[in-house]
Amino acid sequence: MTDTSYKELLAQRDALEKQIAAARAQELSGAIETARKLIAEFGLTQADVFTQGRSSRGQRPSVAPKYRDPATGATWSGRGLPPKWISGKDRAEFAIQADNVPA
């Protein structure tokens, strides 16, 4: 075991946290300056640097609906869990015909 007391260890931790914060602030300042230089050099805009909306990871293309509930007009693509209005029923009754698709 060490002879360092609890209070001494807390003081050391506080000193390290201050050093960490100072080092981070200095490096962050340098990183911001570098980023600003690159943005100016290449004429980048906010849209160039930051993508809007969600990331492309996990996004799927939308799928046209294949089934429509005649009572409510609700639609379902046929993917995932079926909604209650079609569950356990003959899906052919709810199929959207290619010539019957609303514009």
Side-chain angles (χ1 to χ4, degrees):
M1 295 278 286
T2 64
D3 293 335
T4 309
S5 73
Y6 177 70
K7 287 184 180 183
E8 290 172 330
L9 289 172
L10 288 177
Q12 289 176 6
R13 180 183 69 181
D14 289 342
L16 280 173
E17 286 177 351
K18 287 179 184 176
Q19 288 177 350
I20 290 169
R24 183 180 190 281
Q26 184 178 3
E27 290 183 23
L28 187 60
S29 175
I32 291 171
E33 184 60 32
T34 300
R36 286 183 177 152
K37 286 179 183 175
L38 289 171
I39 288 169
E41 180 180 341
F42 290 97
L44 300 173
T45 66
Q46 185 174 355
D48 294 330
V49 177
F50 302 102
T51 59
Q52 299 297 319
R54 295 188 297 169
S55 69
S56 61
R57 195 175 107 187
Q59 285 184 333
R60 296 181 182 163
S62 62
V63 178
K66 293 181 182 179
Y67 307 99
R68 183 181 319 282
D69 181 4
T72 65
T75 59
W76 180 51
S77 67
R79 293 186 176 182
L81 294 174
K84 290 181 181 180
W85 54 264
I86 199 171
S87 186
K89 298 177 183 164
D90 180 17
R91 293 183 182 171
E93 297 174 26
F94 301 93
I96 297 174
Q97 304 301 321
D99 59 336
N100 196 15
V101 176

